[in-house]
Amino acid sequence: MDASTILLEVFLSTISYWYVIIPTIFLGLIVGGVPGFSAANTIIILMPLTLAMDLEMGLVFMVTLYCAARMGAGIPAILVNIPGTAGAAATPLDGYPMSKQGKGQQALAISFVSSSLGGLLTTIVALLTMPILARVGFYMHSVEMIVVMLFGISLIASIAAQDMLKGLIAGFLGLMIGSIGTDVVYATPRGTFGFLELYDGVPLIPALVGLFAVSEAFIIIEKKVIVNKSEDGTTPTANWHDTFEGVRISLKRWWHIMWTSLIGLVIGVIPGAGASIASFVAYQQSRSFSKTPEKYGTGHPEGLIAPEAANNGVTSGTLVPLLVLGIPGGATAAIMLVVMQFHGVSFGPSLFESQPEIGYGMFMAMAVAYLLMVLTILPLSRYMSHVTTIPTIYLAPMIISFTLVGGFVPREYMFDMYLALGFGVLGYIARRTGYHVAAILIGVILGPLLETYFLRALKKSDGDITVLFSSTLGNILWVALAASLILPIVMDMRRKKQGVPAE
Amino acid sequence: MAKDDRQSVRQIGGELVIPVLGVLFTIYFFSTIWNSPWTAQVSTFLVGSILLFTCGLFFLRCFMLLRSGEANLGFGTLFTREDLSTGRYGLLATTVGYCVLIETFGFTLTTFAFLFLSMVILSKARRIVFTAMISAIMALGGWAVFIWAFDTRFPRGIFENFMETVLG
């Protein structure tokens, strides 16, 4: 049987599970949208159900939930400035300003289209280039990973563009907070204030909930509704035109979706790297090579497309090492591994010959899920955007209660709720005094990862710092990092010299 | 004229809170790793030193602004009279209460009480019946979806235990 026949058969088989896929999409949107919940948690909760299903159906369910949760995390990030997961932490940078301008529906449409197209495209690319992609993980050692992290952390400098000192203070404070916990080599407790709960480091969900959700709830009560009133004093109302406009904007920027989602795919392939790194890196690169970098952070569609396309590109990336090498690229992929092993699936290249319905089926399930997702969710963007018109006297307490409890869920420590509240106060002070909470969060997320890889590299080289420039791929990445930081400045200077106004 | 001048002066007291917290936290952090192995120190000393340096630059900038009379040490950007009128302090109090009480009374009852009280404070006690209804629907909806349907690990108390007994 040739490949096209196999793929057609797998496609028909996958689409026949539409009755599983569609309800799972809505479940995924909910669990992705509530901080503290995730596809991984939900799959664990529903593990008995998943194991009871036949393997194909179980995989379709898990893959769909994974993709939908990733997309769902962007919805509250856009509408109420609350990323559902750390992977959507870069989404509100431009998504939320669009909502405040009354373009929430348009922003959702952009998010849905770029997520779906990004996910769909990377699924196809992953399928075609799987043998090559599977080797990426082997080439990415600690040195290379340090440079990848620095790509993400350099976003702090961009955020700091308006007030460099304040941006750097916020970013480095985040990095210090991210360093709390035991060190990775000798497990020496550092900066924990004596709390055992902090020995594993600062948990991400309470930090996310506090910095974004709780602080935002305390800010929005100044206004009656989230959305700003238009010039004539009326509140903008949602209409279908906004959805179509969002689709048009996204399709017009198809190239942008393509290359930012490929960043997500490559980062997703690396075990241990995740959607948060991918979305920060994609946002930073998108801004660096934009002709209008000054528009980023003000509600610029490209600033929304980049993180959404990238974090959905990660989903297919994580499947590559799972299927080809049996190494899960993330938490959800690890649970999929358990379910597949329960059903006796053997991993490796032979999987695609012995059980093509499983190997190709997972990617096909992803492709079908993205296709059905865009068709089912896009029409709902009009109704979802009404969240921005709910009076804040009702919305703010709801945000606080549900997100604080979301902070409790992952570890079941009451301490995490207090921690989320503490981060909320920090976030509130930051917002009121002109410090960017996203810069703090980037530090909290990427700081510990950077330290881990940094120490690993130093340990391997007996403390020789020149190890950072010892690999060919690492050096290429260093040059790329330097270029991505310097080129925009050079381009901007050239533009100013030639007297060409920014578009 | 004098009044206009006073209004145009930037209040930087609030802006100093985060750098001061940053410096204090960094000093504390350094004190916890002073006698630790180099692996525990190297990265944080680097990051902490940069933070101290940037905070130092910020303090210097503030000092220059204060000396030139362009700024004062007021906290107007952080605390305002509007915080009282909008009910922000009330919301903060109910939020702290929510965190303290949820362990004892469980998700559903505490969420209902928190939502009701917070909404009453923010709406200045308007439409109390409607507020109570919304609070009850949200709290019960949360219980039904997250605890009853998905058996999520929410804090449990009297109501959750009672319902568990009733529903078997």
Side-chain angles (χ1 to χ4, degrees):
Chain A
M1 231 185 325
D2 63 356
S4 56
T5 315
I6 293 171
L7 286 176
L8 182 67
E9 274 185 14
V10 173
F11 174 75
L12 292 173
S13 162
T14 309
I15 204 97
S16 69
Y17 288 113
W18 62 269
Y19 57 92
V20 176
I21 297 173
I22 291 176
T24 310
I25 286 173
F26 291 103
L27 177 65
L29 290 176
I30 294 168
V31 300
V34 183
F37 295 81
S38 64
N41 288 348
T42 313
I43 293 174
I44 290 171
I45 293 166
L46 300 177
M47 183 79 92
L49 179 73
T50 317
L51 294 175
M53 293 175 183
D54 73 67
L55 180 59
E56 259 184 273
M57 190 191 280
L59 289 177
V60 165
F61 167 75
M62 287 190 292
V63 167
T64 307
L65 192 70
Y66 185 28
C67 300
R70 187 76 82 204
M71 193 190 269
I75 298 171
I78 290 167
L79 297 178
V80 282
N81 200 13
I82 302 165
T85 62
T91 303
L93 291 174
D94 279 278
Y96 188 56
M98 286 185 81
S99 285
K100 288 211 284 193
Q101 292 158 19
K103 294 179 186 169
Q105 187 182 344
Q106 197 182 97
L108 285 175
I110 291 172
S111 161
F112 295 156
V113 173
S114 44
S115 296
S116 298
L117 284 184
L120 200 57
L121 173 86
T122 47
T123 305
I124 295 165
V125 173
L127 205 52
L128 295 175
T129 58
M130 216 170 335
I132 304 163
L133 278 174
R135 300 189 68 81
V136 170
F138 288 119
Y139 294 119
M140 299 299 286
H141 304 295
S142 42
V143 172
E144 290 78 11
M145 285 306 294
I146 288 170
V147 195
V148 172
M149 298 293 153
L150 288 174
F151 267 107
I153 286 176
S154 64
L155 179 56
I156 291 172
S158 305
I159 288 172
Q162 282 185 333
D163 188 333
M164 187 60 83
L165 262 182
K166 280 187 172 179
L168 292 178
I169 289 170
F172 279 96
L173 177 63
L175 286 167
M176 280 302 285
I177 294 171
S179 304
I180 291 175
T182 52
D183 88 276
V184 288
V185 181
Y186 294 108
T188 315
R190 303 171 307 169
T192 58
F193 297 96
F195 291 113
L196 275 175
E197 292 89 341
L198 289 175
Y199 274 38
D200 286 338
V202 173
L204 277 187
I205 296 298
L208 189 77
V209 160
L211 287 172
F212 279 88
V214 177
S215 66
E216 183 65 27
F218 279 93
I219 293 286
I220 60 173
I221 56 173
E222 285 170 8
K223 298 198 297 182
K224 283 190 173 171
V225 290
I226 287 176
V227 66
N228 292 332
K229 286 188 173 172
S230 51
E231 284 174 4
D232 57 4
T234 57
T235 304
T237 49
N239 56 64
W240 288 113
H241 175 260
D242 278 344
T243 300
F244 296 128
E245 183 62 12
V247 175
R248 190 191 67 78
I249 289 169
S250 309
L251 294 179
K252 199 179 160 193
R253 289 164 172 80
W254 63 272
W255 174 244
H256 205 79
I257 295 175
M258 209 163 148
W259 72 263
T260 49
S261 63
L262 289 177
I263 289 178
L265 174 66
V266 174
I267 292 178
V269 169
I270 306 163
S276 51
I277 300 169
S279 56
F280 287 137
V281 172
Y283 186 91
Q284 166 62 2
Q285 292 309 298
S286 167
R287 189 183 185 279
S288 294
F289 293 101
S290 169
K291 288 178 182 169
T292 53
E294 73 285 352
K295 286 187 181 174
Y296 279 67
T298 62
H300 189 40
E302 285 171 16
L304 176 58
I305 287 172
E308 284 297 284
N311 68 32
N312 282 277
V314 168
T315 51
S316 41
T318 51
L319 291 189
V320 174
L322 172 74
L323 295 177
V324 180
L325 307 168
I327 302 168
T332 315
I335 301 159
M336 287 181 193
L337 177 91
V338 173
V339 174
M340 290 166 84
Q341 280 178 338
F342 175 82
H343 286 280
V345 174
S346 58
F347 298 93
S350 62
L351 173 70
F352 293 87
E353 288 169 15
S354 58
Q355 290 176 288
E357 72 282 3
I358 304 300
Y360 293 114
M362 286 186 76
F363 286 102
M364 197 55 82
M366 202 166 260
V368 170
Y370 276 118
L371 273 176
L372 290 179
M373 241 190 289
V374 77
L375 296 174
T376 48
I377 303 173
L378 207 52
L380 297 179
S381 61
R382 180 176 180 182
Y383 307 103
M384 289 178 184
S385 68
H386 284 299
V387 169
T388 56
T389 59
I390 294 174
T392 55
I393 54 169
Y394 302 119
L395 192 61
M398 288 182 205
I399 289 173
I400 291 173
S401 61
F402 282 92
T403 55
L404 276 180
V405 177
F408 167 86
V409 171
R411 304 198 304 172
E412 286 187 75
Y413 291 164
M414 284 310 298
F415 176 83
D416 288 354
M417 277 184 77
Y418 291 108
L419 192 64
L421 183 59
F423 271 110
V425 173
L426 178 69
Y428 175 75
I429 296 170
R431 283 171 197 269
R432 288 294 294 261
T433 55
Y435 295 86
H436 216 299
V437 288
I440 302 176
L441 190 70
I442 291 169
V444 175
I445 293 174
L446 299 186
L449 295 170
L450 181 70
E451 187 187 13
T452 304
Y453 288 114
F454 183 58
L455 283 178
R456 208 175 281 171
L458 285 184
K459 283 291 280 181
K460 278 183 190 166
S461 63
D462 287 329
D464 181 9
I465 196 87
T466 57
V467 70
L468 297 179
F469 308 101
S470 61
S471 86
T472 311
L473 180 60
N475 289 342
I476 293 170
L477 287 171
W478 277 117
V479 172
L481 175 65
S484 77
L485 293 173
I486 295 166
L487 272 179
I489 301 168
V490 175
M491 279 159 63
D492 193 41
M493 282 169 68
R494 268 184 62 184
R495 217 179 288 135
K496 278 180 186 162
K497 207 173 172 183
Q498 290 169 352
V500 181
E503 279 178 29
Chain B
M1 184 70 186
K3 193 180 174 187
D4 287 348
D5 283 349
R6 267 202 310 276
Q7 281 175 346
S8 64
V9 171
R10 183 171 150 190
Q11 300 196 354
I12 54 170
E15 292 177 48
L16 286 166
V17 172
I18 287 202
V20 168
L21 282 176
V23 169
L24 293 176
F25 176 61
T26 307
I27 293 168
Y28 161 72
F29 204 113
F30 283 0
S31 74
T32 64
I33 56 170
W34 203 251
N35 296 315
S36 300
W38 70 271
T39 51
Q41 294 175 332
V42 61
S43 174
T44 24
F45 271 140
L46 184 70
V47 172
S49 303
I50 299 173
L51 179 59
L52 289 179
F53 177 70
T54 49
C55 288
L57 287 180
F58 188 77
F59 294 142
L60 190 66
R61 187 169 90 181
C62 290
F63 176 71
M64 306 283 268
L65 286 171
L66 287 169
R67 210 175 62 166
S68 64
E70 291 172 61
N72 63 35
L73 282 174
F75 282 81
T77 50
L78 200 54
F79 306 111
T80 60
R81 279 167 186 253
E82 280 178 11
D83 294 335
L84 270 177
S85 60
T86 54
R88 189 172 278 135
Y89 293 133
L91 183 62
L92 180 63
T94 53
T95 306
V96 173
Y98 183 62
C99 290
V100 172
L101 296 175
I102 198 167
E103 194 176 11
T104 312
F105 294 101
F107 167 78
T108 317
L109 288 181
T110 321
T111 300
F112 169 75
F114 167 74
L115 290 176
F116 179 70
L117 278 175
S118 305
M119 288 174 186
V120 165
I121 291 167
L122 294 176
S123 66
K124 297 179 181 67
R126 284 188 214 116
R127 304 175 76 187
I128 286 186
V129 177
F130 177 70
T131 302
M133 273 172 57
I134 286 190
S135 307
I137 290 168
M138 293 309 296
L140 287 171
W143 167 80
V145 173
F146 296 114
I147 298 176
W148 182 55
F150 284 104
D151 197 23
T152 310
R153 298 168 294 184
F154 274 25
R156 306 200 176 195
I158 312 158
F159 178 80
E160 289 79 11
N161 294 335
F162 172 72
M163 291 308 287
E164 200 175 340
T165 315
V166 170
L167 297 168

